[in-house]
Amino acid sequence: MRRPTLEAVAARAGVSRATASRVVNGQTTVAPHIRDAVLRAIDELGYVPNSAARSLVTQRTDSVALVVSEPGTRVFSEDPLFSTAIRSALVELEAINKQVVLMLASSPKSHARVERYISGGHVDGVMLLSMHGADPLPSALSRLRVPVVSYGRPAVPVDIPFVDNDNVGGAEAGVRHLVETGRRRIATIAGPQDMIAGQDRLAGYRNVLRDSDRRSIVAVGDFTRESGAIAMRQLLGDDPALDAVFVANDLMAVGALQSLRQAGRRVPDDVAVVGFDDIEAAKYTEPPLTTLRHPMAEQAAAMVRLLLNLFEGGPTDPIILPTELVVRESA
Amino acid sequence: MRRPTLEAVAARAGVSRATASRVVNGQTTVAPHIRDAVLRAIDELGYVPNSAARSLVTQRTDSVALVVSEPGTRVFSEDPLFSTAIRSALVELEAINKQVVLMLASSPKSHARVERYISGGHVDGVMLLSMHGADPLPSALSRLRVPVVSYGRPAVPVDIPFVDNDNVGGAEAGVRHLVETGRRRIATIAGPQDMIAGQDRLAGYRNVLRDSDRRSIVAVGDFTRESGAIAMRQLLGDDPALDAVFVANDLMAVGALQSLRQAGRRVPDDVAVVGFDDIEAAKYTEPPLTTLRHPMAEQAAAMVRLLLNLFEGGPTDPIILPTELVVRESA
DNA sequence: CTCTCGTGAGAGAGCGCTCTCTCATCACCC
DNA sequence: GGGTGATGAGAGAGCGCTCTCTCACGAGAG
């Protein structure tokens, strides 16, 4: 009991396969009464085109790969960045009838898998959610002559269109807020330095401290809550008198708040805290977190548009989305 | 400049296309020296099989659809349930070389899209992350004669293999813990009653209250933090003397904790709180949350195995995974 | 009334692969 | 030495579709 073919539809409608194909593909060179007959046959038979056959001849697949290159299970599952970006990209792509193949590229083995798959012509394009600098994927894929776009600026200089948020400017705004509210000893919990977001947000912090003649106090985390808690303890050891901390993402800020609480510090009275990303959880910390809104969904949507432009020859200049300071109670 | 075909490989290796195909597909009936010649040709040409051509003849696609049926943007992005389950399923499927097509089925329009796609034979099977009872998808897909499995028991009685966690037993264990620690007025913030998880966890709560001769105090949320906060305020209005609350998921518990704080209630001194799921964030609330561990990743992995069994004729009985009480400081 | 041109429909090749069928070859045994 | 069977390799059909090429037909022009 196999699915009806175009042949069957054509036979039922009393036309040739070519004509049936014309109707299916919406060509206008078909007389109305014939078109109706074909459509009726399609309906009656429950015909659905075989995509393998179609893409065999058209050389298109109408699907794109979304490659997520994040080794850490915890980060992937816990950081709303990924789910938000994936969901937004999905919605955008479904709107233009493209399928999304989701792939993980965490180990060298899976890298090979991804490369093989992509070069197998299964997809018309690739969207890369790759955060790590050492990641060989951006350059590998750009060599494959497949349209590739990136969510976030690739850490290695490679000619791939990308969309990023203004990490440096956002960090500057956050730290400037601390300076302007009279904080003197402003520490930071930086993100991983093999990620652009980690590097740029630290750069922003340094820029403002330099200009405002303050000493930088740095601990490094890996964007997880736990690393934020550990880094905060370390900072309190390094400089017990610190009165503010700029944390490179909200997840780490959550951990930092816990460490501050355990150390008996009041927030914001003793120590002001500014996060980054404005995830939903930031509204529910004690106290609610002052942070920088990172437009993750918009970023993903813009990435999809960039990929489309790559297909259709539109502009593919990098896009940098602005961030916005959201002042709550922690600073 | 198109990709090399099997024909080209065969020509270069000096064999027929059929023999080259045998080598590619790992058949053993090829003499070693010929196999080597073919492999060398493949390597030199950088040959990658054309999957469209292959699945056109084999009628297989080596890919499965992962259909996420969750209308709420916020829930999808914020609840680690989705990202954890998706990631785990992805890892399991990549291990057996299956591709994953991720699809959203939130609106009636996208339902039609999904159905059309599935019935188009693009995928060998479907995994359903559908939580809502009114969801027409499970029955629609089961009619399509495509292998389907479900993450979570489908809300409508439909003959689909599924994996779930022990919602009732978990809720009972959580509430029993509250009873055993001497709480008298135990309220609950239930999940949406059109979801099995919402229904079953409420049922578990009711079971224990009934047996321990306590009155039930119920508010209903929708599994978001915000709804938890609202429900908690409502409960405090309904019964200011309540001394415990069982919250149907951790996200809502986070919101509830905030409302309790704002109402000046100390946790656990005045009000004990038990959540459900044991998400990472549960360790970072103030105070850390006592909750029930819901093995989301294992559940997804088991679902993948179930789908495999469906392909290969193994057992496809429903699987119920146990939950475990994790006692922290909130109760 | 013939010629040209536009329009709508059919014929048929071919996308790249798998797989059955067929055949050649060789070892083995009586 | 001829028959038998196992083994390895090739020929070729065909998966379901698109798309070019061709052609039939009718309208309009000369």
Side-chain angles (χ1 to χ4, degrees):
Chain A
M1 192 69 170
R2 58 175 46 198
R3 292 162 40 209
T5 69
L6 194 58
E7 190 79 54
V9 171
R12 187 177 189 102
V15 300
S16 75
R17 201 175 56 243
T19 302
S21 175
R22 287 190 184 94
V23 173
V24 169
N25 292 293
Q27 289 191 32
T28 49
T29 63
V30 181
H33 70 279
I34 296 211
R35 139 176 282 110
D36 287 346
V38 173
L39 289 177
R40 208 174 322 119
I42 287 174
D43 199 48
E44 288 165 1
L45 295 174
Y47 170 75
V48 182
N50 179 317
S51 57
R54 175 178 281 172
S55 67
L56 180 58
V57 32
T58 59
Q59 308 278 16
R60 284 181 298 99
T61 63
D62 284 328
S63 63
V64 301
L66 178 51
V67 179
V68 180
S69 176
E70 169 56 53
T73 307
R74 191 118 45 92
V75 177
F76 180 91
S77 298
E78 292 289 329
D79 196 330
L81 173 74
F82 291 95
S83 39
T84 303
I86 289 171
R87 184 182 210 281
S88 172
L90 224 47
V91 168
E92 294 295 319
L93 286 162
E94 296 196 340
I96 52 169
N97 251 295
K98 292 248 181 283
Q99 253 39 253
V100 181
V101 177
L102 188 60
M103 310 193 78
L104 251 31
S106 37
S107 62
K109 192 176 150 198
S110 60
H111 269 99
R113 231 182 67 86
V114 170
E115 270 193 65
R116 205 168 346 106
Y117 185 74
I118 305 289
S119 63
H122 297 71
V123 292
D124 299 339
V126 181
M127 296 175 308
L128 210 50
L129 250 87
S130 162
M131 271 57 238
H132 290 274
D135 201 326
L137 217 48
S139 28
L141 291 182
S142 74
R143 255 183 271 113
L144 249 39
R145 310 172 149 277
V146 177
V148 183
V149 294
S150 171
Y151 184 97
R153 178 156 58 90
V156 287
V158 56
D159 193 24
I160 291 179
F162 66 87
V163 189
D164 212 337
N165 73 103
D166 185 6
N167 287 308
V168 176
E172 288 173 352
V175 179
R176 207 174 300 121
H177 175 72
L178 291 170
V179 170
E180 284 165 2
T181 51
R183 303 292 170 167
R184 300 297 318 167
R185 311 187 93 153
I186 305 174
T188 191
I189 300 178
Q193 291 304 298
D194 67 338
M195 294 194 193
I196 288 294
Q199 292 169 20
D200 284 4
R201 292 174 189 183
L202 178 58
Y205 163 83
R206 289 216 154 104
N207 290 349
V208 175
L209 282 215
R210 192 189 327 105
D211 295 349
S212 65
D213 205 35
R214 282 166 171 80
R215 190 168 61 86
S216 66
I217 314 166
V218 180
V220 177
D222 65 3
F223 280 153
T224 64
R225 291 185 190 81
E226 191 185 1
S227 75
I230 294 169
M232 192 67 242
R233 282 195 290 272
Q234 185 194 319
L235 286 176
L236 286 173
D238 292 353
D239 186 348
L242 62 83
D243 62 0
V245 55
F246 167 70
V247 191
N249 78 339
D250 287 351
L251 238 37
M252 292 197 297
V254 167
L257 285 176
Q258 187 181 54
S259 290
L260 286 167
R261 203 155 44 222
Q262 287 169 354
R265 301 293 209 283
R266 287 167 308 161
V267 176
D269 310 56
D270 301 331
V271 179
V273 177
V274 170
F276 204 118
D277 282 348
D278 192 23
I279 62 178
E280 175 81 5
K283 296 181 200 159
Y284 291 88
T285 54
E286 165 55 18
L289 200 59
T290 292
T291 185
L292 290 131
R293 192 178 113 73
H294 167 189
M296 302 174 182
E298 289 87 330
Q299 190 177 336
M303 168 178 69
V304 171
R305 256 172 277 129
L306 220 46
L307 185 63
L308 248 60
N309 285 350
L310 218 47
F311 290 154
E312 295 162 2
T316 57
D317 307 306
I319 298 172
I320 307 290
L321 299 174
T323 57
E324 186 195 345
L325 183 68
V326 179
V327 179
R328 296 206 179 87
E329 298 171 26
S330 71
Chain B
M1 192 68 171
R2 57 177 44 196
R3 292 163 41 209
T5 68
L6 194 58
E7 190 79 55
V9 171
R12 187 177 189 103
V15 299
S16 73
R17 201 176 57 242
T19 303
S21 174
R22 282 192 261 267
V23 173
V24 170
N25 292 292
Q27 288 192 33
T28 49
T29 63
V30 180
H33 72 280
I34 295 209
R35 138 175 282 109
D36 287 347
V38 173
L39 289 176
R40 208 174 321 116
I42 287 174
D43 199 47
E44 287 165 1
L45 295 175
Y47 170 76
V48 183
N50 179 318
S51 57
R54 175 177 281 172
S55 65
L56 180 58
V57 34
T58 59
Q59 309 278 15
R60 282 182 299 101
T61 62
D62 284 330
S63 64
V64 301
L66 179 50
V67 179
V68 180
S69 175
E70 171 55 53
T73 308
R74 190 119 45 91
V75 177
F76 181 92
S77 298
E78 291 289 328
D79 197 330
L81 173 75
F82 292 95
S83 41
T84 303
I86 290 171
R87 183 180 212 281
S88 172
L90 226 47
V91 168
E92 295 294 319
L93 285 163
E94 295 195 341
I96 52 169
N97 252 297
K98 292 247 182 285
Q99 253 41 253
V100 180
V101 177
L102 188 60
M103 311 192 78
L104 250 32
S106 36
S107 62
K109 194 176 150 197
S110 61
H111 269 98
R113 233 183 66 86
V114 169
E115 269 193 65
R116 205 166 348 105
Y117 184 76
I118 305 291
S119 63
H122 298 71
V123 292
D124 299 340
V126 180
M127 295 176 309
L128 210 50
L129 250 86
S130 163
M131 270 57 237
H132 290 274
D135 201 326
L137 218 48
S139 27
L141 292 182
S142 75
R143 256 183 272 114
L144 250 39
R145 310 175 149 277
V146 177
V148 182
V149 294
S150 171
Y151 185 96
R153 178 157 57 89
V156 286
V158 56
D159 193 25
I160 291 179
F162 66 88
V163 189
D164 211 337
N165 74 104
D166 185 5
N167 287 307
V168 176
E172 288 173 351
V175 179
R176 207 175 298 122
H177 174 72
L178 291 170
V179 170
E180 284 165 1
T181 51
R183 303 292 169 167
R184 300 295 318 167
R185 312 186 92 150
I186 306 173
T188 191
I189 299 178
Q193 291 305 296
D194 66 338
M195 295 194 192
I196 287 295
Q199 292 169 19
D200 285 3
R201 292 174 189 182
L202 178 58
Y205 163 83
R206 290 214 153 105
N207 290 348
V208 175
L209 282 216
R210 192 188 327 107
D211 295 350
S212 65
D213 205 36
R214 282 166 171 79
R215 192 168 59 88
S216 65
I217 314 166
V218 180
V220 177
D222 65 4
F223 281 154
T224 63
R225 291 185 190 80
E226 191 186 0
S227 75
I230 293 169
M232 191 68 240
R233 281 196 290 273
Q234 185 193 321
L235 286 175
L236 287 173
D238 292 353
D239 185 349
L242 63 83
D243 61 359
V245 55
F246 167 70
V247 190
N249 79 338
D250 287 353
L251 238 37
M252 292 197 296
V254 167
L257 285 175
Q258 189 182 51
S259 289
L260 285 167
R261 203 154 46 223
Q262 287 168 354
R265 301 295 207 285
R266 289 166 307 160
V267 176
D269 310 55
D270 300 331
V271 179
V273 177
V274 171
F276 204 117
D277 282 347
D278 194 22
I279 62 177
E280 175 80 6
K283 294 181 200 157
Y284 292 87
T285 53
E286 164 56 17
L289 199 59
T290 292
T291 185
L292 289 132
R293 192 178 113 72
H294 167 189
M296 302 174 182
E298 289 88 330
Q299 189 177 338
M303 169 179 67
V304 171
R305 256 172 277 128
L306 220 45
L307 186 61
L308 249 61
N309 285 349
L310 218 48
F311 290 155
E312 296 163 2
T316 56
D317 306 305
I319 299 171
I320 306 290
L321 299 173
T323 57
E324 188 195 345
L325 182 69
V326 180
V327 179
R328 297 205 179 88
E329 297 171 26
S330 71

